[in-house]
Amino acid sequence: MGDWTSLLPALTASERREVEAGLVEADARVRPLLQRSATDYWAAQVTNTPEWAVTESWPAELRRRAALAMHLETATSSTPSALNYVVRSLADGVQAWTRADLVWCLDVAGRGWGYQNAADLELPALIAGRLSPADLADLVPALSALFDELATDHFVSAGPRLRVVTLLGEALDRATGRRVPSRLLHNGDEFGPLVRANLCDILAAPGVPELLVHCASLDKPVAPAGWLRGLDGHLTTATEGKKAVRRVLEAFAAHRHSVHDDSDRLLRGLVWALSREPDDDATELLAQVTATAAAAPRHASGYPHAQRTAIAAVQLLAGRDGEVPVRTLARLAVTVKNKAVRSRVHSALARLGALRGWSLSEVMELAIDDHGLDAAGSRRTQIGPYEATVRVVGEKARLTFARGDVGLKGVPAAVKETHADELRQLRELVKGINATVAAERQRVESLLSEERTWAYADWVSRFLDHPITGTYGRRLLWETSTEGRYWSAGLPREDGDGWAIAGLDGRPARGDRVRLWHPLRAGVADTLAWRERVHATGLTQPFKQAFREVYLLTPAEEQTSSYSNRFAAHILRYRQANALMRTRGWQASYLGTWDGGYDSEATKLFGGGAWRASFHHQLVDTDNLGDDDVQYCSTDQVRFARSDGATWQPAPVTDVPPLVFTEAMRDVDLFVGVTSIATDPQWADRGEDRFRDYWHTTVVGELTPSAQVRRDALARLLPRMAIADRVTLADRYLHVRGNLRGYRIHLGSGNIMMEPNDAYLCIVPAPGGTGRLHLPFEDDPMLSTILSKAIMLAADDTITDPTVVRQLAS
C-alpha cells in the first residue's frame, strides 16, 4: 500500500475492541453459507444462491459484524472475486456505521496485501459514503492519498476500482465542499489536472458539475434515448453547460496524449453533448476530438489515446454534413492501427458513402486534405521580414525560410524569439502534410487491386493536380480508353492544353476514361517495354508498378480450391515479419506462449474492401525453455473471403478477382522473401540447427516472382555499371568475377557461394553500398543488397574486413 496508511489517525484501545467485538462469531455464521453454496466459491457469485438468502433476515448488527469479518478476510487472504459481492451484500442496508469502523477497515486494508480486485476497499468506500462530513474531516488527507493511488493504479480490476473511486470521491466532495466531483478529471493522467487548473471557474458553474457527472455515466458507445433526454435537460439548466463541453473538448484536442479510463468515459459523454449542436464549428471540433482520440503513441500504435471516445466520436462524425467528416475519417482509415476503432471507421465511411452515393474507395479519395498547398505543392507565409515556405519535395514536406530572394539555411533566430506560435503552427503543418503523404502512398498503391476507372477530368484533378496525391500520380503508368474495351497505356505529360497520357511512341493517347496500369493486364512485350522506358528515363516510381510482380493461379491452387499453399512451410524471423505485416496494412494478433497465442491469422482488405485475404502462421517453439519471446514463426495457408454485408463468406481461390489474388500473394511473398531465415547471411554458422535443412534448400531454390522481377531489373542495371565486364546474369544467380575468386549470388536469398568449391561466404553489407546508382523503385531492399555485394566482390582484393578476408583464404 502507499503513503496514505501513514496519514490514518490511530484508534484507541476501546474503539478497536468495540469494532472487533463479535467478529469471530459473525465469521462463523458466514463461512458455512459460503461452503454450502459453492464447492469453489472463489469464482462463484454466491450471493445469488438460495443458501445466501438467509442473510437477508439477519439483524442489522449481525450483518454489520459479518461484513467487517469478510472485510478482514479480503485483506488477509488470496481474495476470491466472490468476496466483492459478499461484502457488498452484507453491508447493504446497514446504516449504523461509525468513524471507528472506517478507520479500522482502512487500517486492515493498509496492512493487508490485496489481490488487485479492490475487494479490500469495497467496505471502507461504502462506509465513507455513509458518514457525515464531520466524521470524515480528519480523514480527508488519508482518503485523498488513497484516492490518488487508486486513480493512478492501472492494475486494479476496472469494475471494482470504478465503484471504490466513485464512493470515495463522493465522500471527499461532501467533506471538502468541492463542487467539481473528485472522480472526474482526477490525477490519474496529465489531462485532468490541466483542465481543472485552466477551467476551474466554468467547471464549477451552476449545473455544470451535474452535467459532467451525467456525461461520465454513459456506459455504451451509443447513447440510449433516456440518457439523451437527461443530457438535454442538463444542457438546458446549466447556463454555462455548452461552453463547458466545448472548452473541455478543445483542451483534449490540443492535449494529444493518452488519458485515464475515467477521463475517456467522461469525454465519450461530452462528444455526445457536442453532437447536439448542429453548427459547423461543432463539426470541426468533433473532427479534431475524433482524430486525437483515435491517435496513439508512437511506441504503442494499437492503443489509442481515448478508445471509448474514439469509437463514439467516429459514429457521430459520420452523421455530420460537409467535407470535414469525410476528410477526417478517410485519414483515420489508413492511419489507425487499433482493430476496434479501425472497424468503426470503415463502417462509418461506408455508411457516409451510402448516404452520399459514393463507394468506400471514392469516399477516401475525395477526402484527401490538400493542407492549403497550391498545385505545385507549396504554401508560403509571411512572418515579419521573412517568407516561410512549406513545400512537398519528393515524398516529404519541408519548411524553409527566405529573406527577399536569399534562401536561408535554417530558422532565423528572430522567428524563434518573436514568432514562436507561428513557427509551431508551421511545424505542425509539415507534420500533418507528411502524415497525409504517407497515408496517400498506401492508399494509391491499394488501388492496384481494384477495377476502378475515372472520368478523365476527375483523374486529372484527383491524381495529377492534387498537391499531395500528384506526387505519386505523376510518376505512375495509366491507361485510357473511350469504349472501355481497348486501353492505351502511358505516362502523364503536361502539354500546352493540359495533361495527356503519352504512350511509348510519345503521342498522346485519346480516351475519356482512365484506369491505373497493372502488368497483369498488359502483355509481356508491353510490360518489358515500359520497364525499359522507366529505367531509361531515370524515373523512380513511388512503388513497384512497371517492375511489379504478377502472381497467377496455379493448377495446385485450383485443385485445393479453398486455399493456397504456395508460401507455406517457411520459417520467418517473427518480430521482423510481424512488423512488415503491419507496415503493409495487415492486421494480426501477436504470437506468444499463452492460450490462443500459438496461431495467428493476418488479414488485409483488397479490392476496395470487397475482399479479405488471410495469411495463417504459427509460433515455432524456441529451444530455450526460459525464453518466452517468439523468435520464429512458420507459414501456412492463404485464404480469401468475400464481403457479405457485416460478415465475410469464405470463397474459393478460383472466384477471387485476379488483381486481388496477385496483390495479396505479392504481400505474402514479400513477408517470406524479406524475413525468411534463408536471407540471414549468418545462419550457415549455426552448426546443427534444426532449421538448417530448410535454410540450405531455400538459399539456392527456384526464384519466386519477386526474385524474377529483381533479375529483370538487374539485367537493365548491370550493363550501365562499372562492374559490367565482371558480372554475368544466369537463371538463379549473379556470377561475379573477382581478382581472387569467382562468386555466385543467389537472386532470391542474396546468399553467396564461392567458386570453385561452393563454399559459403557470409557478408553483412553496410547500407548505401550502391552509391549514386539509380533504381527504378525503392521497395526491394534485396536488390540493393545484391548490388552492393557484387560491387564489393568485384574488387575482392581490396576487402579489409578480417572476417571476410579469413573466409576468402579458406
Side-chain angles (χ1 to χ4, degrees):
M1 287 294 175
D3 293 339
W4 63 270
T5 55
S6 64
L7 302 175
L8 284 173
L11 287 177
T12 66
S14 61
E15 287 175 327
R16 185 173 296 277
R17 283 195 300 272
E18 183 177 348
V19 173
E20 295 178 349
L23 294 193
V24 174
E25 293 82 357
D27 184 270
R29 294 285 296 273
V30 176
R31 299 239 174 219
L33 298 177
L34 297 179
Q35 293 170 0
R36 284 200 302 268
S37 52
T39 56
D40 185 6
Y41 71 86
W42 293 80
Q45 191 170 330
V46 298
T47 54
N48 289 339
T49 61
E51 292 86 352
W52 188 258
V54 68
T55 61
E56 296 177 6
S57 62
W58 286 0
E61 181 60 20
L62 176 57
R63 292 172 63 87
R64 170 184 165 275
R65 296 187 185 281
L68 291 170
M70 288 298 99
H71 171 70
L72 185 61
E73 172 72 9
T74 65
T76 56
S77 67
S78 297
T79 308
S81 298
L83 287 184
N84 293 66
Y85 300 99
V86 167
V87 170
R88 288 204 304 276
S89 175
L90 291 169
D92 186 39
V94 178
Q95 301 297 328
W97 295 108
T98 66
R99 173 188 173 280
D101 290 336
L102 176 56
V103 175
W104 183 86
C105 286
L106 290 171
D107 181 60
V108 167
R111 287 186 286 108
W113 52 287
Y115 198 60
Q116 296 186 346
N117 63 358
D120 58 342
L121 295 174
E122 290 272 8
L123 189 57
L126 189 147
I127 296 173
R130 294 179 182 175
L131 294 181
S132 67
D135 287 332
L136 296 170
D138 66 333
L139 296 177
V140 167
L143 292 176
S144 296
L146 172 59
F147 181 91
D148 288 341
E149 180 179 302
L150 280 172
T152 56
D153 193 333
H154 297 283
F155 298 100
V156 177
S157 303
R161 188 202 66 82
L162 184 59
R163 285 195 302 273
V164 171
V165 165
T166 299
L167 290 170
L168 284 180
E170 291 173 351
L172 282 169
D173 295 341
R174 285 188 292 105
T176 59
R178 189 175 296 150
R179 281 282 297 149
V180 182
S182 296
R183 66 184 178 90
L184 303 180
L185 303 168
H186 53 59
N187 295 338
D189 56 26
E190 297 177 357
F191 176 66
L194 179 70
V195 173
R196 281 180 176 266
N198 295 336
L199 303 178
C200 55
D201 292 338
I202 192 171
L203 295 179
V208 173
E210 292 77 12
L211 170 63
L212 297 178
V213 169
H214 184 78
C215 286
S217 70
L218 180 61
D219 57 3
K220 295 180 180 179
V222 178
W227 187 90
L228 287 174
R229 287 194 294 272
L231 173 65
D232 291 338
H234 285 294
L235 289 172
T236 300
T237 56
T239 55
E240 298 287 329
K242 295 178 180 179
K243 181 179 179 181
V245 168
R246 296 201 183 207
R247 294 291 298 277
V248 173
L249 291 177
E250 287 168 356
F252 171 69
H255 185 59
R256 298 182 184 177
H257 292 289
S258 297
V259 298
H260 192 282
D261 185 63
D262 294 341
S263 297
D264 194 3
R265 291 172 183 271
L266 171 61
L267 290 166
R268 176 172 60 184
L270 290 174
V271 297
W272 274 95
L274 180 65
S275 73
R276 313 303 273 176
E277 301 295 316
D279 57 277
D280 292 341
D281 287 343
T283 300
E284 181 64 41
L285 177 55
L286 183 59
Q288 295 172 13
V289 170
T290 306
T292 299
R298 183 174 299 178
H299 62 278
S301 59
Y303 297 89
H305 291 156
Q307 181 170 328
R308 298 174 190 273
T309 303
I311 289 173
V314 160
Q315 299 177 67
L316 291 169
L317 190 61
R320 311 285 289 196
D321 294 330
E323 294 303 309
V324 171
V326 183
R327 187 167 60 246
T328 303
L329 293 174
R331 188 182 304 163
L332 292 179
V334 293
T335 58
V336 170
K337 304 301 181 184
N338 179 271
K339 283 186 178 181
V341 177
R342 189 169 185 169
S343 66
R344 275 14 179 251
V345 170
H346 280 282
S347 297
L349 279 171
R351 180 161 58 90
L352 190 151
L355 290 173
R356 305 190 184 191
W358 301 332
S359 67
L360 175 60
S361 185
E362 191 169 13
V363 169
M364 297 178 67
E365 192 167 279
L366 291 169
I368 307 305
D369 194 350
D370 62 13
H371 295 279
L373 302 174
D374 59 24
S378 299
R379 178 171 165 179
R380 293 176 172 80
T381 305
Q382 196 70 31
I383 301 180
Y386 304 99
E387 183 181 67
T389 302
V390 175
R391 178 182 290 109
V392 177
V393 180
E395 295 182 26
K396 285 287 185 182
R398 305 187 187 281
L399 173 62
T400 60
F401 286 85
R403 184 163 187 170
D405 295 330
V406 179
L408 305 177
K409 289 186 177 181
V411 181
V415 172
K416 294 179 181 178
E417 294 170 3
T418 60
H419 299 277
D421 286 343
E422 291 95 326
L423 180 60
R424 178 184 57 79
Q425 291 172 9
L426 287 171
R427 285 173 170 165
E428 287 293 327
L429 174 63
V430 170
K431 184 178 179 181
I433 292 172
N434 283 331
T436 302
V437 168
E440 262 302 80
R441 184 190 187 283
Q442 186 175 342
R443 186 192 72 83
V444 173
E445 187 175 11
S446 72
L447 293 172
L448 287 165
S449 72
E450 295 187 46
E451 289 283 2
R452 279 196 65 192
T453 64
W454 293 266
Y456 202 92
D458 289 340
W459 169 68
V460 169
S461 65
R462 298 179 192 180
F463 290 94
L464 303 183
D465 288 341
H466 195 284
I468 302 293
T469 313
T471 193
Y472 301 117
R474 293 189 287 268
R475 292 182 287 151
L476 293 173
L477 283 162
W478 300 87
E479 293 181 294
T480 186
S481 175
T482 299
E483 78 295 326
R485 184 177 178 185
Y486 298 102
W487 294 83
S488 300
L491 287 164
R493 184 179 70 195
E494 195 167 16
D495 291 334
D497 296 332
W499 288 97
I501 294 178
L504 286 168
D505 58 4
R507 292 185 296 181
R510 301 298 178 188
D512 56 9
R513 303 296 299 176
V514 179
R515 71 182 185 185
L516 195 56
W517 183 91
H518 196 293
L520 180 71
R521 291 188 293 234
V524 174
D526 284 344
T527 299
L528 294 176
W530 279 115
R531 288 179 181 178
E532 182 61 32
R533 173 61 59 84
V534 167
H535 178 68
T537 57
L539 176 66
T540 298
Q541 295 196 288
F543 44 79
K544 281 187 182 179
Q545 188 193 25
F547 286 85
R548 201 168 191 82
E549 306 85 351
V550 171
Y551 300 79
L552 302 176
L553 206 60
T554 65
E557 287 160 341
E558 292 176 348
Q559 186 174 359
T560 58
S561 179
S562 58
Y563 61 88
S564 168
N565 257 342
R566 188 183 308 195
F567 296 108
H570 286 274
I571 306 299
L572 311 185
R573 299 184 295 274
Y574 179 61
R575 280 179 173 271
Q576 187 181 5
N578 183 265
L580 185 55
M581 290 177 202
R582 294 179 184 277
T583 299
R584 294 293 301 168
W586 292 69
Q587 302 292 310
S589 58
Y590 204 82
L591 293 174
T593 54
W594 50 75
D595 254 358
Y598 286 83
D599 300 275
S600 182
E601 177 187 8
T603 61
K604 181 180 177 179
L605 301 185
F606 291 90
W611 288 86
R612 185 183 71 182
S614 302
F615 173 41
H616 297 259
H617 51 288
Q618 295 85 33
L619 175 150
V620 174
D621 287 327
T622 177
D623 292 330
N624 184 358
L625 297 179
D627 186 6
D628 292 330
D629 192 23
V630 180
Q631 300 292 333
Y632 310 106
C633 70
S634 62
T635 63
D636 207 331
Q637 301 170 355
V638 177
R639 292 177 176 266
F640 293 87
R642 181 190 287 109
S643 176
D644 184 15
T647 63
W648 293 95
Q649 297 300 325
V653 291
T654 51
D655 289 353
V656 179
L659 287 178
V660 170
F661 183 84
T662 187
E663 289 301 304
M665 298 302 282
R666 179 182 184 272
D667 271 0
V668 178
D669 188 5
L670 179 68
F671 305 152
V672 173
V674 172
T675 70
S676 168
I677 62 172
T679 63
D680 185 348
Q682 298 177 324
W683 197 270
D685 299 330
R686 296 195 177 214
E688 296 300 321
D689 190 276
R690 58 180 168 150
F691 301 137
R692 188 173 177 83
D693 290 343
Y694 164 77
W695 185 87
H696 274 288
T697 301
T698 307
V699 296
V700 296
E702 293 187 8
L703 301 186
T704 64
S706 61
Q708 292 170 11
V709 169
R710 188 178 303 133
R711 185 189 182 283
D712 188 30
L714 285 168
R716 302 169 193 283
L717 291 167
L718 292 171
R720 295 172 169 85
M721 295 179 63
I723 62 170
D725 61 338
R726 288 184 167 268
V727 295
T728 304
L729 196 60
D731 183 31
R732 300 186 192 179
Y733 297 94
L734 175 62
H735 293 264
V736 182
R737 178 172 55 86
N739 294 314
L740 301 178
R741 307 184 68 156
Y743 310 90
R744 288 184 295 130
I745 306 175
H746 190 261
L747 301 179
S749 65
N751 287 289
I752 308 167
M753 297 296 177
M754 296 186 290
E755 299 172 350
N757 59 345
D758 280 349
Y760 177 73
L761 174 61
C762 177
I763 294 180
V764 181
T770 58
R772 296 177 176 273
L773 180 65
H774 163 73
L775 300 179
F777 46 82
E778 298 177 351
D779 52 355
D780 183 4
M782 184 57 72
L783 176 61
S784 298
T785 297
I786 290 173
L787 286 170
S788 64
K789 288 182 177 181
I791 293 170
M792 175 187 291
L793 295 173
D796 55 1
D797 56 339
T798 65
I799 296 175
T800 58
D801 187 320
T803 60
V804 178
V805 171
R806 186 165 54 250
Q807 295 177 79
L808 293 177
S810 61

